[in-house]
C-alpha cells in the first residue's frame, strides 16, 4: 500500500486565534499522534517563542506537536525552515474578543489587541495553503 512505510511527521504546528478552539485542535492532534506512535514518541508544547521549543536532542526520534497563537518572527522563521504540517484554527475575531474578555475578566481593548496579533499571523499562514478549521 502506498505510504504505508512513510515516516510520521517530526513536527506538527497548531496555530490559531485565541478562543478559536485552538486548544481543542492541539489536543486532538496530540492525542492522534500518541495513538499512532505511543506517548514516549510525542512531545507537546505551547509556545509563541523559539526559546521554548525543545532542543534537537530532546526531540530525537520523536514528533513535536506545537501550539501557538501570535508567535514571533523567530518562531515563524524556524517553522518555515522546518516545513511542518500546520493546522490553523479561526473564529470570528469579534466573537473571540468578547468571549476572552468575559472568560479572563480583562478589558475588551486588551483582547482586541491579542486577537489583532493573532489575525495578522493567520492571514500570512492561511495564504500559504495550510489547513484552516473554522
Amino acid at each position: 500500500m502506498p505510504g504505508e512505510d512513510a515516516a510520521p511527521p517530526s513536527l506538527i504546528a497548531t496555530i490559531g486565534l485565541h478562543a478559536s478552539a485552538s486548544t481543542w485542535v492541539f489536543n486532538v492532534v496530540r492525542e492522534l499522534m500518541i495513538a499512532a506512535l505511543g506517548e514516549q514518541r510525542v512531545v507537546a508544547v505551547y509556545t509563541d517563542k523559539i526559546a521554548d521549543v525543545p532542543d534537537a536532542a530532546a526531540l530525537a526520534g520523536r514528533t513535536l506537536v506545537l501550539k501557538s497563537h501570535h508567535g514571533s518572527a523567530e518562531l515563524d522563521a524556524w517553522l518555515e525552515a522546518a516545513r511542518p504540517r500546520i493546522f490553523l484554527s479561526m473564529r470570528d475575531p469579534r466573537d473571540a474578543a468578547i468571549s476572552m474578555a468575559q472568560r479572563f475578566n480583562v478589558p475588551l481593548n486588551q483582547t482586541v489587541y491579542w486577537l489583532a496579533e493573532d489575525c495578522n499571523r493567520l492571514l500570512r499562514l492561511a495564504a500559504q495553503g495550510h489547513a484552516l478549521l473554522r
Side-chain angles (χ1 to χ4, degrees), residues 23-119:
T23 299
W24 184 86
V25 173
F26 171 74
N27 288 339
V28 168
V29 170
R30 182 194 66 226
E31 291 303 315
L32 287 171
M33 295 311 298
I34 288 171
L37 304 173
E39 193 165 358
Q40 299 304 316
R41 299 225 16 238
V42 177
V43 176
V45 298
Y46 167 77
T47 186
D48 283 315
K49 303 178 295 188
I50 190 67
D52 296 331
V53 174
D55 63 24
L59 296 174
R62 300 167 88 187
T63 293
L64 174 61
V65 179
L66 183 140
K67 176 188 173 195
S68 183
H69 290 297
H70 59 268
S72 65
E74 296 82 13
L75 180 62
D76 285 350
W78 180 79
L79 287 170
E80 187 173 327
R83 301 181 47 85
R85 164 121 12 213
I86 296 178
F87 295 95
L88 305 173
S89 59
M90 172 82 177
R91 177 181 183 185
D92 183 322
R94 298 168 297 182
D95 185 41
I98 292 169
S99 176
M100 286 180 57
Q102 291 173 343
R103 183 171 159 207
F104 297 113
N105 196 29
V106 295
L108 185 59
N109 64 342
Q110 180 63 48
T111 64
V112 168
Y113 173 78
W114 290 337
L115 287 158
E117 295 291 309
D118 296 349
C119 285

Side-chain angles (χ1 to χ4, degrees), residues 5-16:
D5 294 327
S10 59
L11 175 58
I12 303 170
T14 63
I15 299 170

